[in-house]
Amino acid sequence: MNGGGRLDRSLRPPGSGSDLLSASDLLKQADLIRLAASGASILLREQIAKLKRARAERLDARARNPNRAIAFLERYVPRRLGAALTVTVLGVSVALGVITGGHVDAAIGALSDTRNALANAVGFRITSVTVNGRKQLTQDEVLAVGGVNGRSSLLFLDAAGVRDNLKRDPWIADATVLKLYPGALQINITERRPFALWQENGKLSVIADDGVVLEPYVNRRFASLPLVVGKGAETRARDFLALVAKYPVVNDQLKAAIFVGERRWNLRLKDGLDIRLPETDVGRALAALVKYDRDDKLLSRDITAIDMRLPDRLTVRLSEEAAKAREEQFKKSNKKAGSA
């Protein structure tokens, strides 16, 4: 009621005002629901279509290739993987062909020549070569042994490899290789000295003082070298010949030193005299030999061999003429003794 005792009622008819706004909101919400349902229906239809297409593709792949594993690979493996695998297989096939055909060195050489040509083209050609320390070998021989040729470039030259190649040559005891960019190469070598001629089984070789065989004897410039003979003589000759050199009377007449049974030495003098030395205390035997020659002219006598193998005696073998003369002299002495 109001203050006048009357009932206070709303004069607005039902359903007007705020009630009308509420109905409008409901209409909007209904429209949104319809739109959402329509979108969901479209998405559902698209998804169903995708599934149908995928199933159709699977069925089609199975129809084309009943093998499921292959079909799976065709579907899921990346497209360019097949091309990559094909290139790989071709590369492996080419490599196997090169190896089984024995063309590995030729292929490596071709690749090396290609990269060297490229390096030479950009300024790394070897234009200056210096070889120090050579006496027996020529510069061309040193370069050939080291593997350096006109196609080599300084950029790709393997200095350690060249050094190893050089040290494999018996004439070269040591070597250093310096690359001086952009185009200079310096090689320093230490050569072995030709020391003696070594004969074994009828084969004659030039050897160094450490016993390394330098080359077969074909050059007469080595004819003046001392001759050592026998198995093992090449490694024992340096010390033995150094000992003999201390006795010039023997050394000046020496023609050959013969290593017997890998145990002891015999000397062959230029006049054919053989001197059989003991296994041990060789210096004492040589000193005694020099004394005998000084006192009795032993090395000038008509004898063919001197045996010094026993420490307490010296045995000589007369030449055939001297033996006959001695026999005749002995017979005459016996006759004189009988007639007396």
Side-chain angles (χ1 to χ4, degrees):
M1 288 186 183
N2 58 14
R6 295 181 181 178
L7 182 65
D8 186 11
R9 295 187 178 186
S10 174
L11 297 178
R12 291 175 293 185
S16 63
S18 61
D19 292 333
L20 292 175
L21 290 174
S22 177
S24 175
D25 290 340
L26 289 174
L27 289 174
K28 289 180 180 180
Q29 290 179 1
D31 290 339
L32 290 175
I33 291 172
R34 284 196 298 272
L35 290 173
S38 176
S41 175
I42 294 171
L43 291 175
L44 181 61
R45 285 197 300 272
E46 289 181 354
Q47 188 64 29
I48 292 172
K50 284 183 180 180
L51 292 174
K52 288 182 178 180
R53 284 196 302 271
R55 187 171 185 278
E57 288 177 0
R58 287 197 299 273
L59 292 174
D60 185 57
R62 287 182 186 178
R64 286 186 288 105
N65 191 344
N67 190 315
R68 292 188 178 184
I70 295 177
F72 176 83
L73 291 174
E74 288 181 347
R75 179 173 177 80
Y76 293 104
V77 170
R79 294 181 181 180
R80 290 182 174 80
L81 183 60
L85 290 175
T86 301
V87 172
T88 301
V89 170
L90 289 174
V92 171
S93 300
V94 171
L96 288 175
V98 169
I99 293 171
T100 56
H103 305 300
V104 176
D105 291 341
I108 293 174
L111 291 174
S112 177
D113 287 346
T114 301
R115 70 175 187 175
N116 281 329
L118 292 173
N120 289 337
V122 297
F124 292 102
R125 182 181 300 278
I126 298 175
T127 57
S128 173
V129 177
T130 303
V131 179
N132 299 318
R134 60 180 184 83
K135 295 181 176 64
Q136 303 294 334
L137 299 174
T138 66
Q139 178 165 305
D140 289 342
E141 287 173 334
V142 172
L143 294 177
V145 169
V148 181
N149 54 47
R151 299 184 300 276
S152 301
S153 69
L154 198 67
L155 182 62
F156 292 114
L157 186 71
D158 181 4
V162 173
R163 180 177 182 271
D164 291 341
N165 290 339
L166 291 171
K167 292 187 67 175
R168 278 193 284 269
D169 188 279
W171 278 103
I172 301 175
D174 199 5
T176 58
V177 179
L178 300 176
K179 296 164 60 172
L180 307 174
Y181 287 100
L185 178 66
Q186 179 177 318
I187 299 175
N188 304 313
I189 64 173
T190 302
E191 283 190 355
R192 289 185 172 92
R193 293 187 307 106
F195 174 71
L197 301 178
W198 173 47
Q199 180 180 323
E200 185 187 21
N201 298 326
K203 182 181 178 182
L204 198 60
S205 305
V206 182
I207 62 172
D209 59 358
D210 57 359
V212 173
V213 176
L214 300 176
E215 63 178 53
Y217 173 67
V218 293
N219 196 320
R220 293 192 60 82
R221 76 177 187 271
F222 302 121
S224 61
L225 295 175
L227 174 65
V228 294
V229 181
K231 183 179 180 181
E234 76 280 16
T235 58
R236 303 280 292 274
R238 176 174 58 187
D239 294 338
F240 177 71
L241 293 180
L243 178 60
V244 175
K246 295 179 180 179
Y247 304 93
V249 171
V250 179
N251 190 63
D252 292 346
Q253 300 183 55
L254 182 63
K255 180 179 181 180
I258 304 165
F259 200 43
V260 181
E262 300 184 61
R263 296 181 297 106
R264 64 174 193 85
W265 292 91
N266 285 350
L267 300 178
R268 175 70 57 83
L269 302 189
K270 293 175 182 177
D271 60 1
L273 176 62
D274 285 329
I275 303 172
R276 299 169 186 173
L277 297 171
E279 270 187 64
T280 60
D281 211 358
V282 178
R284 181 199 61 79
L286 290 172
L289 182 64
V290 171
K291 184 177 184 303
Y292 283 127
D293 183 65
R294 183 174 63 245
D295 295 343
D296 301 319
K297 305 297 181 185
L298 182 63
L299 300 179
S300 303
R301 290 179 176 250
D302 195 3
I303 56 179
T304 59
I306 301 173
D307 193 341
M308 306 185 72
R309 288 176 292 178
L310 299 177
D312 58 346
R313 71 187 66 180
L314 179 145
T315 304
V316 298
R317 179 187 298 169
L318 298 175
S319 66
E320 187 176 348
E321 293 78 7
K324 288 181 179 180
R326 183 176 177 80
E327 185 178 356
E328 291 294 330
Q329 183 66 32
F330 182 72
K331 288 178 180 180
K332 289 179 182 180
S333 299
N334 285 340
K335 286 180 180 180
K336 288 181 180 180
S339 56

